[in-house]
Amino acid sequence: MKKFTLLALVPLLLALVATAPASAQRRADAANNRNTVLKVNVLSPFVLTASGFVEHAFSPRISAQLGAFTTGASVKDVEFDGHGFTPEIRYYLAEQAPDGFYIAGYGRILNYKLTVEDKEKGETYEATYKPVGAGVAAGNQFIFNNGISLDLFLGVGVNGGSLNIKTGTNEDFDRGIIDKLGILGSGFRVRPGLTVGYSF
């Protein structure tokens, strides 16, 4: 599964690298008067999650971004209810923040409640998962003349955290498939994203 995920992300990374020089050239002669961007991650709904960001440029090269999400997704019979925050600092290479190619450092603060209903036994099992993580990312954000923004990024990082079972056992949460997908526990994580928004 991890090999498939990494192979699927290769085209995203190639598109990111290919668009970076074009973006730098496109805005090289014009000062960017749009310092704040509100945006949503258009990939999130595919995993039943709502994710949004606000970014503000404090200088031609530096911006800060705060992301937040809420989810009600499920994997097999395990329901995930939760939210999280992603603070991020970005460095723009072309001195046109928040427009152009950037590299970033980010943190992740997540809070999930997991629920499994065993209909055969008439039981409900609960657990919590509250990992903290950090990573690095690279991306390219386009700010168009009408204010619309398009941000394509790819990040890698690590999470630290473990499942805290309140009722039930590991088997009740079907850890096999969840572990194979790399959803719970500590370890390496890939963070792809595509956002659309408005700058002002």
Side-chain angles (χ1 to χ4, degrees), residues 1-13 154 190 192:
M1 176 61 74
K2 288 182 180 178
K3 183 178 180 182
F4 174 77
T5 303
L6 291 175
L7 288 175
L9 293 174
V10 169
L12 181 66
L13 183 59
L154 180 62
V190 178

Side-chain angles (χ1 to χ4, degrees), residues 36-164:
T36 303
V37 189
L38 296 176
K39 46 196 168 178
V40 294
N41 191 333
V42 297
L43 301 181
S44 295
F46 292 105
V47 289
L48 300 179
T49 300
S51 176
F53 305 85
V54 59
E55 178 182 2
H56 183 76
F58 294 96
S59 77
R61 287 192 184 269
I62 305 294
S63 76
Q65 176 174 276
L66 178 63
F69 78 87
T70 182
T71 186
S74 62
V75 178
K76 204 170 180 181
D77 295 328
V78 183
E79 294 185 8
F80 288 78
D81 247 338
H83 59 274
F85 301 95
T86 307
E88 183 173 318
I89 298 294
R90 293 181 167 188
Y91 179 82
Y92 284 82
L93 276 63
E95 297 190 22
Q96 292 292 329
D99 184 14
F101 184 76
Y102 62 86
I103 54 176
Y106 66 87
R108 309 263 348 228
I109 304 164
L110 311 175
N111 187 337
Y112 295 110
K113 176 184 176 183
L114 287 71
T115 307
V116 175
E117 289 188 16
D118 189 332
K119 295 180 181 178
E120 292 182 2
K121 296 181 180 179
E123 299 280 348
T124 300
Y125 308 118
E126 294 184 352
T128 58
Y129 177 52
K130 301 179 180 180
V132 175
V136 294
N140 202 94
Q141 182 159 256
F142 302 90
I143 305 292
F144 299 102
N145 290 334
N146 59 4
I148 299 298
S149 72
L150 180 68
D151 185 7
L152 177 68
F153 64 87
L154 180 62
V156 293
V158 293
N159 275 358
S162 59
L163 188 65
N164 180 17

